[in-house]
Amino acid sequence: MKAAVRTTQRNRRHRLLGATAIVALLASTACEAGAGDGPDDSTTTARPDATRSAPSRGTSPAEPTGTGSPTPSGSSSDTAANGGDGAEADGTAVCAAADLSFASTRQDEPGDQVRHLLLTVTNAGNKTCTVYGYPRVRLGADAQAPVALIKDSDPKTPATLAPGDEANAALLVSGGQRDTYEAHTIGVVLQGRKPGSTAGGPVDVPMPGVDTLTVDDGGRVTYWMTPSGLALDFIMSL
């Protein structure tokens, strides 16, 4: 009888132990099923961050979009700003003979042979214009070629004349050279803005108070410039 009681008690203890183990196992399983749900889990919080950042790759505002286009050089607006063929960049036109009045003034002492002249053009119009280069001078109807240029007289900047302003060129009519002849006229052709071009036909400049000039192959002329004294400096010692 006692043996049967002991056996029954052992069986109860075994069942209790078994039940306790089952409860512990269920509790452990429940805890594992809920793992990672807390706010501090680094694995679950890293994934949304990686997902959100992916679309922004290669679209940084610092990168060029490629939608802009550079302004081409040599456009029509650039050509207009540079004045084209008819005007300077500031809008001034080439002086034409009709815009100017012409004069020649002797620079020699009274009684001396007239050799040194100052040619003057005055802007007689109502708009600013520019005279270019030097006057192409022919002395007399029989002149075989224009008077030679004094190249060192280049002022580098053409003379721009407001209404009433003057430009000057010094003219040496004879330099003691060969082929002396008499001239009764002074013909001048104005130059255009482009080298080698002209701005109209020949103009007869009034004689400098004499009817006849004695000229030869030694004649020389300067570029147009505004200071009359500077122009004369190139010929008065010749």
Side-chain angles (χ1 to χ4, degrees):
M1 187 67 172
K2 291 181 179 179
V5 171
R6 290 192 189 99
T7 299
T8 301
Q9 290 175 348
R10 282 199 299 271
N11 290 338
R12 287 176 180 173
R13 284 198 297 272
H14 289 163
R15 285 197 295 270
L16 289 173
L17 291 173
T20 300
I22 291 170
V23 171
L25 180 61
L26 291 173
S28 175
T29 303
C31 290
E32 290 179 0
D37 290 341
D40 296 332
D41 191 285
S42 60
T43 302
T44 56
T45 57
R47 290 174 183 170
D49 289 345
T51 303
R52 286 193 295 268
S53 62
S56 65
R57 294 174 184 171
T59 59
S60 169
E63 297 178 359
T65 61
T67 58
S69 59
T71 302
S73 61
S75 64
S76 58
S77 60
D78 290 338
T79 303
N82 290 330
D85 289 334
E88 284 294 304
D90 62 1
T92 59
V94 178
C95 290
D99 303 322
L100 305 171
S101 64
F102 295 77
S104 66
T105 308
R106 59 186 294 174
Q107 303 298 312
D108 301 289
E109 295 294 333
D112 291 346
Q113 179 183 339
V114 178
R115 299 177 56 241
H116 305 87
L117 300 181
L118 183 68
L119 303 180
T120 302
V121 291
T122 304
N123 185 352
N126 55 12
K127 294 182 180 179
T128 299
C129 65
T130 301
V131 289
Y132 289 90
Y134 59 95
R136 294 179 179 175
V137 179
R138 287 183 180 269
L139 296 173
D142 297 329
Q144 299 299 308
V147 174
L149 170 68
I150 301 176
K151 295 181 179 180
D152 291 343
S153 66
D154 187 356
K156 308 302 181 183
T157 303
T160 298
L161 308 178
D165 286 350
E166 297 178 349
N168 303 278
L171 173 63
L172 179 69
V173 299
S174 63
Q177 303 297 319
R178 297 178 302 175
D179 297 330
T180 300
Y181 65 96
E182 291 185 347
H184 304 282
T185 60
I186 302 172
V188 168
V189 174
L190 299 173
Q191 295 194 53
R193 181 161 61 94
K194 294 181 179 179
S197 65
T198 59
V203 177
D204 285 334
V205 178
M207 294 285 283
V210 294
D211 295 330
T212 304
L213 296 172
T214 301
V215 301
D216 59 31
D217 290 347
R220 297 291 184 269
V221 69
T222 69
Y223 284 88
W224 292 115
M225 58 192 76
T226 51
S228 60
L230 179 60
L232 290 171
D233 284 344
F234 288 95
I235 67 166
M236 294 310 294
S237 62
L238 300 178

